[in-house]
Amino acid sequence: MKTVLFVFLLIPTLSMNAPLDVTWPAGRAARENQEKMSAAYLFPAFVKGMVYFRNGTKREAFLNYHCQDGQMRFLNPRADTLLFTGKYLIDYVAIGDRRFVLTESHSDMEVIGEGGRARLAARTQPEIAGNSLSHSGQHFSASEGNAGQVQMVTNQGGLVQWQNNASGHRWRMKTSYFLIDQNRVVHAASRRAFLHVYGRNRRQLTRYLRENRVDFGHADDLQRLFGFCSSLASL
């Protein structure tokens, strides 16, 4: 399928030095109906948010986060669903009080901690789970080993539930955590990553890790560790 690339200017009166570049989602129709959107997206509809660029400019857009693909998307005036390119130009995207960072190599993810010289971020996407249950104790099947085939439905509270479609691979939602340093380099959350990013405070950090058992796959543990590191970095 041929990719169409063009520039979409959300607010023409803003600076032209940070254009929003977008592409058509590969393998998908330009328009997605409401039923598919509510099943695949974080929010029940595209909502107004703000795109903050690294050069200090910002622009409003109608945004939504595609959970299956791990990609932030937005609408143009024709209501076409589009993907961001040139993500290195974007500092972060805000939807309400939630922030997201867009990366080329690790998909897009939500910021769950920010302070000092780093950000803590989380990415939740489907993964093959064999015969095991998902983190919520629920599971679903997909006809092929492709996350795009997963069928997800949401209840009135916006919580994701799984819907079986055809026999085949079983999937679950897996959350991975990342540390993004001041140079915007993304590190998978681990002991090594924290010691690298906070190398100036290696002695205090090593003591903390020795005295506290940190599960690097658990949000609460990571947020406590991140808070400790941020307090050291601000000294």
Side-chain angles (χ1 to χ4, degrees):
M1 178 177 179
K2 185 177 180 180
T3 299
V4 180
L5 179 64
F6 60 97
V7 176
F8 168 39
L9 300 180
L10 289 167
I11 303 179
T13 57
L14 290 180
S15 171
M16 296 292 289
N17 61 357
L20 287 180
D21 295 334
V22 299
T23 63
W24 295 100
R28 296 183 183 274
R31 298 177 183 273
E32 297 186 33
N33 61 42
Q34 185 66 30
E35 180 179 355
K36 288 183 178 179
M37 186 177 69
S38 63
Y41 285 89
L42 178 62
F43 303 104
F46 278 76
V47 295
K48 186 177 292 185
M50 191 71 71
V51 182
Y52 291 85
F53 292 93
R54 297 181 67 185
N55 66 359
T57 61
K58 60 182 180 180
R59 295 185 182 173
E60 277 190 342
F62 282 94
L63 304 158
N64 210 335
Y65 182 81
H66 197 283
C67 297
Q68 295 177 23
D69 294 343
Q71 299 282 350
M72 184 63 65
R73 301 187 180 188
F74 67 101
L75 300 178
N76 70 2
R78 297 182 301 172
D80 297 321
T81 304
L82 306 172
L83 292 172
F84 286 97
T85 61
K87 295 180 179 180
Y88 66 94
L89 296 172
I90 299 172
D91 187 17
Y92 66 93
V93 170
I95 302 178
D97 59 354
R98 303 174 74 165
R99 289 190 176 191
F100 300 82
V101 290
L102 315 186
T103 74
E104 299 288 357
S105 57
H106 294 82
S107 299
D108 303 336
M109 57 192 77
E110 183 170 4
V111 177
I112 61 173
E114 191 163 12
R117 51 181 177 266
R119 289 170 172 165
L120 181 65
R123 182 193 67 200
T124 303
Q125 289 183 286
E127 69 165 8
I128 295 177
N131 294 322
S132 62
L133 297 178
S134 72
H135 295 178
S136 64
Q138 298 171 311
H139 57 261
F140 58 88
S141 299
S143 57
E144 296 182 17
N146 186 328
Q149 300 292 330
V150 173
Q151 297 297 311
M152 297 191 292
V153 295
T154 56
N155 60 23
Q156 293 181 347
L159 301 176
V160 175
Q161 296 178 328
W162 315 128
Q163 175 181 330
N164 291 327
N165 48 25
S167 60
H169 294 297
R170 305 180 77 80
W171 300 77
R172 66 180 179 183
M173 292 301 286
K174 175 179 174 58
T175 300
S176 302
Y177 300 95
F178 300 87
L179 196 59
I180 306 173
D181 65 26
Q182 59 187 353
N183 297 316
R184 298 178 61 85
V185 177
V186 180
H187 310 264
S190 66
R191 177 188 178 91
R192 180 178 180 180
F194 274 85
L195 288 171
H196 173 76
V197 174
Y198 296 99
R200 298 177 186 175
N201 308 103
R202 188 180 186 90
R203 180 179 299 177
Q204 298 97 315
L205 179 53
T206 300
R207 183 184 305 115
Y208 179 96
L209 293 172
R210 184 171 60 248
E211 297 174 354
N212 298 271
R213 295 187 60 183
V214 177
D215 181 350
F216 290 93
H218 194 279
D220 290 342
D221 283 7
L222 284 172
Q223 287 174 319
R224 283 191 290 268
L225 173 59
F226 183 79
F228 173 78
C229 292
S230 297
S231 66
L232 292 176
S234 63
L235 297 178

